[in-house]
Amino acid sequence: AVCSMGNSTSRLYSVLAKTLSSGAVSQHQDCLGQLDSAQLDPLDPKDLLEECQIVLQKRPPRFQRNFVNLKKNAASNHRPIRVMQWNILAQALGEGKDNFVQCPMEALKWEERKCLILEEILAYKPDILCLQEVDHYFDTFEPLLSRLGYQCTFFPKPWSPCLDVEHNNGPDGCAMFFLKERFELVNSANIRLTAMKLKTNQVAIAQTLKCHETGRLFCIAVTHLKARTGWERFRSAQGCDLLQNLKNITQGAKIPLIVCGDFNAEPTEEVYREFSNSSLNLNSAYKLLSPDGQSEPPYTTWKIRPSGECRHTLDYIWYSQHALNVNSALGLLTEEQIGPNRLPSFNYPSDHLSLVCDFSFNQDPDRLL
């Protein structure tokens, strides 16, 4: 596997146009271990975006989404922290297991779909990026995002369903990326979630960061809970385990917390109520888009499978409402934008919508409740 990457546009294009074959992933991991990311040439985001757009020139343009301003009080005295949450759809699952009956296989080609994913990330420029279903971490996201200035962490599922798919690219898992120029890593924990005292196939990453500008500490976590109807109690147990871990990490809510995830749970489920009623005093940021501030969006995923149409709210950004303010949130795609064939599509690379919020620290850090 060739690991060195130049910084010219032509060499950048070769990085985008050629991902490693699945057989080369382990070699690539070894190679990345030998390279200090600081030695890799930095990437200009504009150059990467330009290369993505070259690859995508035959596809329809990216959907327009607008931020909704949610902050009612005075402006913060520091730059907001932009957090992006997204289940990007594992490539092996999209091609081999998910059966999106209205999505042409051509729309799922990795060479183009990865550019749609990167284009979405580059458009919103998150300070912190939380992803689920990442199965191209070592050959795509780590090498590219580290050169954009992000510190990268990946925690794969122990028994990823991707491994059942022929020509897979390794296991999928959760990934977290934060801009090193804005934050310092204080502590990092990879958490394998338990349910009924048994270790499960679902994971989380929790990192305590220090904001360079304010000196404030906060914890950011990413997770992906068990899917499917009939597993509600299992998800509830996983949620309880994650909350207990986060209580320990945040010293019982002394450290502000943001939790991003695909919870695979509607707001009617018990795991949602556990997070809403937790002693960590969490609120769901996307509720603030509703007129009364009390209702989740009507959907965060919308797809058509052989069993029928699936339109659900499963993805959330939870935050410590005593310590953090939500300045703005990215509006969701409309039904008209999504179109009759739903997601994924030639326009949009995943069956889940990305969620993006701008947070600021409360000006009274000692007021906990």
Side-chain angles (χ1 to χ4, degrees), residues 258-327:
I258 300 170
V259 186
C260 296
D262 174 357
F263 280 64
N264 275 306
E266 291 273 12
T268 51
E269 270 199 37
E270 188 179 344
V271 68
Y272 182 93
R273 291 193 293 276
E274 285 162 0
F275 270 73
S276 294
N277 301 327
S278 162
S279 61
L280 292 171
N281 196 22
L282 300 174
N283 193 20
S284 173
Y286 264 72
K287 278 168 52 178
L288 302 179
L289 286 180
S290 66
D292 61 358
Q294 298 300 313
S295 306
E296 292 289 353
Y299 51 84
T300 62
T301 179
W302 201 343
K303 54 206 153 197
I304 302 175
R305 284 181 164 148
S307 56
E309 197 155 343
C310 307
R311 177 180 178 265
H312 299 294
T313 300
L314 306 177
D315 307 270
Y316 306 96
I317 300 178
W318 297 92
Y319 69 101
S320 299
Q321 56 188 339
H322 61 272
L324 296 165
N325 298 308
V326 185
N327 297 9

Side-chain angles (χ1 to χ4, degrees), residues 174-312:
C174 292
M176 187 182 292
F177 309 84
F178 67 84
L179 284 177
K180 291 184 284 186
E181 69 173 17
R182 292 214 63 186
F183 311 108
E184 173 191 342
L185 180 63
V186 175
N187 181 58
S188 185
N190 287 354
I191 303 163
R192 184 171 170 189
L193 298 175
T194 63
M196 299 86 167
K197 299 185 179 179
L198 298 173
K199 290 182 178 179
T200 74
N201 193 34
Q202 280 64 47
V203 300
I205 303 168
Q207 297 191 330
T208 303
L209 305 180
K210 182 178 181 180
C211 175
H212 291 316
E213 190 177 338
T214 64
R216 299 278 294 272
L217 292 179
F218 67 101
C219 177
I220 178 84
V222 58
T223 195
H224 188 186
L225 302 188
K226 173 68 181 168
R228 309 225 190 288
T229 304
W231 291 84
E232 292 81 5
R233 287 185 62 199
F234 196 83
R235 279 191 287 275
S236 173
Q238 288 182 326
C240 286
D241 182 49
L242 178 57
L243 284 168
Q244 188 56 56
N245 275 281
L246 294 173
K247 283 173 191 173
N248 295 337
I249 291 168
T250 62
Q251 301 166 29
K254 287 182 181 174
I255 298 171
L257 173 65
I258 300 170
V259 186
C260 296
D262 174 357
F263 280 64
N264 275 306
E266 291 273 12
T268 51
E269 270 199 37
E270 188 179 344
V271 68
Y272 182 93
R273 291 193 293 276
E274 285 162 0
F275 270 73
S276 294
N277 301 327
S278 162
S279 61
L280 292 171
N281 196 22
L282 300 174
N283 193 20
S284 173
Y286 264 72
K287 278 168 52 178
L288 302 179
L289 286 180
S290 66
D292 61 358
Q294 298 300 313
S295 306
E296 292 289 353
Y299 51 84
T300 62
T301 179
W302 201 343
K303 54 206 153 197
I304 302 175
R305 284 181 164 148
S307 56
E309 197 155 343
C310 307
R311 177 180 178 265
H312 299 294

Side-chain angles (χ1 to χ4, degrees), residues 27-287:
Q27 292 176 311
H28 191 63
Q29 287 174 261
D30 294 341
C31 183
L32 284 173
Q34 296 161 15
L35 280 173
D36 180 352
S37 61
Q39 296 175 327
L40 295 172
D41 296 325
L43 270 182
D44 186 327
K46 291 178 184 173
D47 288 342
L48 183 55
L49 183 57
E50 189 179 305
E51 290 301 333
C52 288
Q53 289 167 346
I54 290 170
V55 175
L56 297 171
Q57 57 191 333
K58 293 182 181 177
R59 292 209 180 200
R62 206 174 57 81
F63 291 125
Q64 181 62 41
R65 297 168 67 185
N66 298 315
F67 280 90
V68 179
N69 186 17
L70 298 168
K71 191 162 184 193
K72 299 175 179 65
N73 50 1
S76 168
N77 60 3
H78 67 88
R79 278 188 299 160
I81 296 168
R82 178 162 290 182
V83 176
M84 183 173 188
Q85 146 61 30
W86 199 12
N87 178 333
I88 61 171
L89 174 61
Q91 184 63 21
L93 301 183
E95 287 187 311
K97 275 186 175 271
D98 276 334
N99 296 317
F100 301 119
V101 292
Q102 299 285 60
C103 178
M105 285 301 289
E106 186 74 9
L108 295 172
K109 280 174 54 179
W110 179 243
E111 299 307 322
E112 294 179 9
R113 199 172 76 85
K114 71 179 174 186
C115 291
L116 277 178
I117 295 169
L118 290 166
E119 186 182 46
E120 181 96 344
I121 294 167
L122 290 164
Y124 301 122
K125 303 175 184 149
D127 299 303
I128 302 170
L129 173 63
C130 294
L131 302 180
Q132 299 87 36
E133 290 201 22
V134 179
D135 63 347
H136 275 273
Y137 176 81
F138 292 104
D139 63 5
T140 300
F141 295 103
E142 199 279 346
L144 288 174
L145 291 175
S146 65
R147 294 173 65 196
L148 292 172
Y150 289 92
Q151 184 155 328
C152 313
T153 305
F154 177 59
F155 192 25
K157 293 174 185 169
W159 315 296
S160 166
C162 293
L163 299 176
D164 297 333
V165 178
E166 194 175 1
H167 307 305
N168 67 75
N169 200 66
D172 77 300
C174 292
M176 187 182 292
F177 309 84
F178 67 84
L179 284 177
K180 291 184 284 186
E181 69 173 17
R182 292 214 63 186
F183 311 108
E184 173 191 342
L185 180 63
V186 175
N187 181 58
S188 185
N190 287 354
I191 303 163
R192 184 171 170 189
L193 298 175
T194 63
M196 299 86 167
K197 299 185 179 179
L198 298 173
K199 290 182 178 179
T200 74
N201 193 34
Q202 280 64 47
V203 300
I205 303 168
Q207 297 191 330
T208 303
L209 305 180
K210 182 178 181 180
C211 175
H212 291 316
E213 190 177 338
T214 64
R216 299 278 294 272
L217 292 179
F218 67 101
C219 177
I220 178 84
V222 58
T223 195
H224 188 186
L225 302 188
K226 173 68 181 168
R228 309 225 190 288
T229 304
W231 291 84
E232 292 81 5
R233 287 185 62 199
F234 196 83
R235 279 191 287 275
S236 173
Q238 288 182 326
C240 286
D241 182 49
L242 178 57
L243 284 168
Q244 188 56 56
N245 275 281
L246 294 173
K247 283 173 191 173
N248 295 337
I249 291 168
T250 62
Q251 301 166 29
K254 287 182 181 174
I255 298 171
L257 173 65
I258 300 170
V259 186
C260 296
D262 174 357
F263 280 64
N264 275 306
E266 291 273 12
T268 51
E269 270 199 37
E270 188 179 344
V271 68
Y272 182 93
R273 291 193 293 276
E274 285 162 0
F275 270 73
S276 294
N277 301 327
S278 162
S279 61
L280 292 171
N281 196 22
L282 300 174
N283 193 20
S284 173
Y286 264 72
K287 278 168 52 178

